[in-house]
Amino acid sequence: MVKRASILSVGILCLLLFLSCKRETDIDTADSSTGDSPEVTIADSGETHLLRDDLKPLDTVMMIEAVGDSALIVVDAQPSVGYFANHVMTRTYGRIGRGPCEYLEISNIDTNSDSLFVLDSAQAKIIAYNLNTAECLGETSHPILQRAHYLERLDGSYLTGRIYYRVGTPDSTVLLKLVHDNGTVEDLSLTKGEVNPVPVRFPFDLQGINFARYGNRIYAAFPLSGMLAKLDLETHKISTYSMDLVLNRKAFEEATSDSGDAGDLINGGMVEIVRGVFAAKNWVGVSTIRFHREEPNIEKFHVFTPERKLIRSLNYQDNPSIIRGNELLIIDATGPAESRYGYQVTYRQISVY
C-alpha cells in the first residue's frame, strides 16, 4: 500500500498568504550530499496518462492514493471519491450528506486489501467502504476525530494525526493518537513541543501530505517544523530528527511578539515548508518549498536513509504527489488541447544507488 498525499495544499497556501508563486526552472541533481553517500537521480520525463473521468467529472483534485500497480483513488473538492483502474474512473464511493455513510468533508483516506476508509473530520467519523463494490461497511465515530487530518488503518485501530496548530496551541498537545475499535483512545508520545514548530499567529495546516508509510515505519513531518519523526508500528516508539531546514526561527519569534507579519516572512523565503513525505525501502524523501514574491520559489527534494541521515538534496521543481514502487507520481491539470479531461498523471523513475 502506498500512502496518499494532498495535491493542492501549496496552492491554497499561496492564496491565503497572497503569494506570487513562481517556480525554479533549473534542476540540479547534486547540490548537497554527505560525502560518499549514494547517488540520487530522478528522471526528467516519464509515462503520462490522462485521468479519464467520464463517469463523474473531477473537480479540483485534493488528494490521491495508489492501490496496487494499476489503480488510483482520487479525492476532489466536491468532495467525491473516485476509483481509477488503468487511469479510467470505474466507480465512486459514498456521497455528500449528513446521513449514514455520507460525508461533508474528506480530510484523508486510507486503504487496505479490500476496504477504503474515509476520514470526515467535520462529522468526527471514519466511513468504511468495500474497495471493490463501493458498498458501505459501517462507521466509526469519536470526538477526537474532529481534529484529525491523517488516517492510517492498523490492525484493530486507526492511527490519526493532527497537524493543525498555531502559536497559542499548548506544547503538550498530542499529535498522534490511536482510536481503537473498542472505542478507547491511546495517546502516542509525540507532542507539538517535541516537533517545535516556528510560531505563527494563524492556524497553519497542510492537510495529510506530511505522512508516509513503508512496512512498519511511518514518517511524519509537521508544518513549519524542521523535525522528521519516525514511528515504529510494532513498538509504538517514536524518535525525532532535525532535517536542518531553513527556518529563521528568531525572525518568526520577533514577528509574533511584536505583532509582525509572519506571512511576509513566509513570502520572503525565510522558511522552508515541508509539502510532502515519501517512504521507500532504503530511503525517505521530503519535498520542501521556500516561497518568494519577486524571485523564483526554491523547491527541494531531500533524500534520507531510513535512519534519517541525509543522503542528498536536489533542486527539483515538480511537486510529487505519491510514490509507487520506484516511481514518483506527479499530477497536473491538462492543457487546452486535452480539455475533455482535466487532469493527467506522470510517472518518473527515482533511483537511489
Side-chain angles (χ1 to χ4, degrees), residues 32-80:
S32 105
S33 65
T34 54
D36 297 328
S37 297
E39 292 296 322
V40 180
T41 60
I42 302 176
D44 293 334
S45 60
E47 289 189 6
T48 297
H49 301 270
L50 294 171
L51 289 181
R52 301 180 182 275
D53 55 356
D54 298 279
L55 182 65
K56 185 177 183 181
L58 289 170
D59 197 336
T60 303
V61 172
M62 300 302 293
M63 64 187 74
I64 189 168
E65 177 160 359
V67 180
D69 295 328
S70 60
L72 300 170
I73 292 180
V74 179
V75 177
D76 70 11
Q78 297 182 49
S80 67

Side-chain angles (χ1 to χ4, degrees), residues 37-325:
S37 297
E39 292 296 322
V40 180
T41 60
I42 302 176
D44 293 334
S45 60
E47 289 189 6
T48 297
H49 301 270
L50 294 171
L51 289 181
R52 301 180 182 275
D53 55 356
D54 298 279
L55 182 65
K56 185 177 183 181
L58 289 170
D59 197 336
T60 303
V61 172
M62 300 302 293
M63 64 187 74
I64 189 168
E65 177 160 359
V67 180
D69 295 328
S70 60
L72 300 170
I73 292 180
V74 179
V75 177
D76 70 11
Q78 297 182 49
S80 67
V81 189
Y83 182 96
F84 287 78
N86 295 311
H87 310 102
V88 177
M89 185 187 290
T90 59
R91 56 183 171 272
T92 61
Y93 301 85
R95 63 184 183 184
I96 300 172
R98 298 180 180 273
C101 301
E102 296 176 341
Y103 41 75
L104 292 177
E105 171 187 300
I106 299 178
S107 305
N108 215 260
I109 61 172
D110 191 25
T111 60
N112 60 18
S113 60
D114 55 13
S115 300
L116 165 70
F117 306 95
V118 173
L119 170 63
D120 179 0
S121 60
Q123 299 188 87
K125 68 180 183 179
I126 299 166
I127 311 169
Y129 300 95
N130 183 290
L131 186 62
N132 299 311
T133 67
E135 175 189 3
C136 181
L137 303 176
E139 297 183 350
T140 298
S141 298
H142 198 285
I144 200 67
L145 296 174
Q146 289 182 337
R147 295 185 178 274
H149 289 85
Y150 169 70
L151 180 68
E152 187 86 40
R153 178 59 176 168
L154 305 177
D155 186 16
S157 63
Y158 294 97
L159 175 67
T160 66
R162 170 176 174 169
I163 51 175
Y164 178 91
Y165 44 65
R166 53 186 167 186
V167 67
T169 304
D171 283 348
S172 59
T173 300
V174 176
L175 302 180
L176 292 174
K177 295 176 180 284
L178 288 172
V179 179
H180 297 291
D181 290 351
N182 62 9
T184 61
V185 175
E186 178 183 350
D187 291 348
L188 299 182
S189 57
L190 184 67
T191 65
K192 178 203 168 195
E194 289 177 273
V195 302
N196 194 23
V198 168
V200 292
R201 291 184 178 274
F202 51 85
F204 194 94
D205 180 9
L206 285 187
Q207 300 299 316
I209 63 174
N210 307 68
F211 295 82
R213 178 179 179 179
Y214 187 89
N216 286 321
R217 309 189 309 266
I218 289 181
Y219 297 91
F222 295 84
L224 298 181
S225 167
M227 305 301 292
L228 181 63
K230 175 185 174 182
L231 167 64
D232 186 315
L233 290 176
E234 292 184 347
T235 64
H236 291 179
K237 180 181 178 181
I238 298 175
S239 56
T240 57
Y241 178 84
S242 174
M243 294 183 285
D244 293 326
L245 302 183
V246 176
L247 293 178
N248 286 296
R249 184 177 299 276
K250 184 177 180 181
F252 280 89
E253 291 171 349
E254 292 174 351
T256 300
S257 60
D258 298 335
S259 299
D261 190 350
D264 283 344
L265 293 174
I266 294 175
N267 192 21
M270 297 291 285
V271 63
E272 192 172 358
I273 298 170
V274 173
R275 60 179 182 174
V277 179
F278 310 84
K281 180 178 180 181
N282 296 319
W283 57 270
V284 181
V286 177
S287 63
T288 65
I289 186 168
R290 291 169 65 186
F291 292 112
H292 285 272
R293 179 180 288 120
E294 303 298 335
E295 302 175 8
N297 297 329
I298 299 174
E299 301 174 72
K300 298 280 188 179
F301 194 88
H302 306 284
V303 183
F304 301 87
T305 67
E307 292 72 35
R308 292 153 298 164
K309 178 182 178 182
L310 179 65
I311 296 175
R312 192 169 296 272
S313 292
L314 297 78
N315 290 332
Y316 191 67
Q317 68 179 24
D318 290 314
N319 183 25
S321 300
I322 54 174
I323 182 172
R324 183 168 68 181

